[in-house]
Amino acid sequence: MTEPSRPQTAEGGCFCSAVRYRIIGPPLLSIICHCNTCRRTSSAPSVGWLTVNRGCFELLGDPPQQFTSSPGVERTFCGKCGSPITYVSADDPDMMDVTTLSLDRPELFPPSREMWLEHRVPWESSNASIRQYPRESSDGPYHGT
């Protein structure tokens, strides 16, 4: 799933730069999620996620705040500006999803699939050039509820 053109190290952070992080190692997956929970927790029509091994994620700045968005799912956000940062599911605790648009260079990590299209708001277009899933993907890390 890793594309050779993707960098092996990436940094990012929240809008106000209080929370900063580094990812060391190749990303496993890049997706767009339309699930109701992602939409509600971000107040956006969809959320881009970059899936990485949890051990590859290193905090550099302030620790983010954490909350349980659904059973077994922990999300983090900046306590100062509110930017969503990560998603971790108890179903796959070795993996972590990082909001793609919190990366300093999100354009380097284009999505390869869209998930939970059955929850997509009708006025947001889907990207027909990438794999589409009505719910979660059956051939990669789990995401969404």
Side-chain angles (χ1 to χ4, degrees), residues 13-16 76-79 81-85 102:
C14 65
F15 177 73
C16 74
T76 65
F77 64 97
C78 175
C81 69
S83 298
I85 305 293
S102 70

Side-chain angles (χ1 to χ4, degrees), residues 57-81:
F57 183 86
E58 175 186 9
L59 276 173
L60 304 173
D62 292 350
Q65 299 293 306
Q66 182 174 313
F67 72 101
T68 302
S69 62
S70 45
V73 174
E74 296 295 321
R75 294 176 188 255
T76 65
F77 64 97
C78 175
K80 294 179 182 173
C81 69

Side-chain angles (χ1 to χ4, degrees), residues 14-131:
C14 65
F15 177 73
C16 74
S17 297
V19 175
R20 293 289 302 164
Y21 63 83
R22 178 180 298 131
I23 298 167
I24 300 172
L28 304 172
L29 189 61
S30 182
I31 69 163
I32 301 293
C33 185
H34 296 274
C35 81
N36 289 327
T37 307
C38 282
R39 290 188 356 223
R40 295 292 307 264
T41 59
S42 67
S43 298
S46 60
V47 178
W49 293 105
L50 188 68
T51 303
V52 300
N53 286 313
R54 197 167 182 178
C56 294
F57 183 86
E58 175 186 9
L59 276 173
L60 304 173
D62 292 350
Q65 299 293 306
Q66 182 174 313
F67 72 101
T68 302
S69 62
S70 45
V73 174
E74 296 295 321
R75 294 176 188 255
T76 65
F77 64 97
C78 175
K80 294 179 182 173
C81 69
S83 298
I85 305 293
T86 66
Y87 170 108
V88 176
S89 172
D91 291 339
D92 204 351
D94 295 332
M95 301 295 172
M96 170 182 276
D97 291 327
V98 179
T99 51
T100 306
L101 274 289
S102 70
L103 289 158
D104 293 341
R105 300 203 51 213
E107 69 277 6
L108 297 177
F109 302 95
S112 61
R113 64 185 71 181
E114 281 187 276
M115 298 169 55
W116 287 97
L117 284 166
E118 69 180 28
H119 291 183
R120 181 180 58 86
V121 292
W123 45 260
E124 183 181 26
S125 299
S126 61
N127 182 346
S129 69
I130 61 177
R131 290 187 295 198

